[in-house]
Amino acid sequence: MSAGIIFSGMYSQQTRFGLKAGYTYSNFNSNIETANEKFEPKSGYYAGLSAEKRLSEKLAMQIEAMYANLGSQTTYENAGVTIKQINHLHRLVVPVSLKYNVTYELGVFAGGYLSSKISNNVKFKTSGDIGVTDEELKELEKEYKKYLDDNLKSTELGVQFGIDYRAFKSVYIEARYSLGLSNMIKNPTNDEKMTMSFLQAGIAYKF
């Protein structure tokens, strides 16, 4: 047996790569909310890649790179008119975790993550007569998008923890909670603070 074949076998046993995708449920945590304007969770999705390096029989190091549709939404209601503002933060999320394999099927992990801006987007959903045209609404969406671009930082740091479960051979079910620690507001003037937290649940394939 050649050295190349031996090395290839060892490498495949020690490092596993994977694909993953699933659902996100995110929201802003902020001290700038008012009685008439509160942040509400929004749904989204994620997809990405992972690499898991085995350190021992029970321990492994895991690094991932995922696109995630995160953000929040706000609902305004007045005189029969409802306006829902949905803030889409398209992010590249890179978690680094230490994983402990409790059993052959079940693993738990915890670590930190870096989240970087890809782009921001704002959409309005309305019901009732809001008194503006579709073109005016699109211009308003552009203004709010610029507001997010100008006032939110491009990167944030946080912590995350979760579990994965081997459902069938190379197919895993995973869930995690991520909590942002850094203030997302670029230039706070009156101690304004905003962080982001999000849940993820999905399926991974490891090979």
Side-chain angles (χ1 to χ4, degrees):
M1 183 179 293
S2 70
I5 295 176
I6 295 173
F7 178 82
S8 177
M10 292 177 60
Y11 186 82
S12 64
Q13 290 176 5
Q14 294 179 356
T15 305
R16 300 185 71 190
F17 298 94
L19 305 172
K20 56 183 57 193
Y23 169 80
T24 64
Y25 190 67
S26 58
N27 197 10
F28 293 147
N29 308 303
S30 176
N31 62 359
I32 59 176
E33 293 180 317
T34 66
N36 297 322
E37 184 177 358
K38 290 187 178 297
F39 294 120
E40 303 167 355
K42 71 169 283 290
S43 296
Y45 60 92
Y46 72 93
L49 309 171
S50 68
E52 185 178 307
K53 173 74 172 178
R54 185 175 175 179
L55 303 177
S56 68
E57 183 179 355
K58 289 288 188 178
L59 287 177
M61 181 69 71
Q62 180 174 266
I63 183 168
E64 302 157 273
M66 297 179 287
Y67 160 79
N69 182 313
L70 304 174
S72 72
Q73 60 186 13
T74 305
T75 303
Y76 310 89
E77 294 180 327
N78 185 37
V81 174
T82 301
I83 302 175
K84 181 173 289 188
Q85 176 184 332
I86 307 172
N87 305 303
H88 295 284
L89 273 62
H90 305 283
R91 314 285 284 187
L92 174 64
V93 183
V94 181
V96 178
S97 312
L98 187 64
K99 180 181 175 183
Y100 179 75
N101 295 304
V102 181
T103 66
Y104 175 75
E105 294 86 6
L106 179 64
V108 296
F109 56 87
Y113 73 88
L114 172 68
S115 172
S116 300
K117 170 189 168 184
I118 299 174
S119 66
N120 297 320
N121 195 17
V122 176
K123 291 293 181 183
F124 287 99
K125 292 185 177 180
T126 65
S127 64
D129 184 10
I130 62 172
V132 298
T133 65
D134 290 342
E135 289 74 18
E136 290 172 329
L137 197 61
K138 289 184 182 301
E139 287 300 317
L140 191 60
E141 289 174 347
K142 291 179 181 179
E143 290 180 15
Y144 274 86
K145 168 185 162 40
K146 186 177 185 305
Y147 177 83
L148 294 181
D149 289 339
D150 292 343
N151 291 278
L152 296 187
K153 294 177 182 176
S154 296
T155 60
E156 62 162 334
L157 296 171
V159 295
Q160 46 92 34
F161 57 88
I163 62 172
D164 66 8
Y165 183 81
R166 187 192 298 254
F168 178 74
K169 293 184 178 179
S170 297
V171 178
Y172 290 74
I173 299 170
E174 62 176 20
R176 83 180 69 202
Y177 175 72
S178 299
L179 175 65
L181 299 179
S182 52
N183 190 358
M184 297 181 69
I185 298 177
K186 190 178 295 184
N187 296 303
T189 56
N190 295 304
D191 295 323
E192 300 97 336
K193 185 175 182 180
M194 186 171 74
T195 61
M196 184 163 54
S197 60
F198 52 100
L199 289 167
Q200 293 173 273
I203 296 176
Y205 180 84
K206 299 182 182 181
F207 48 89

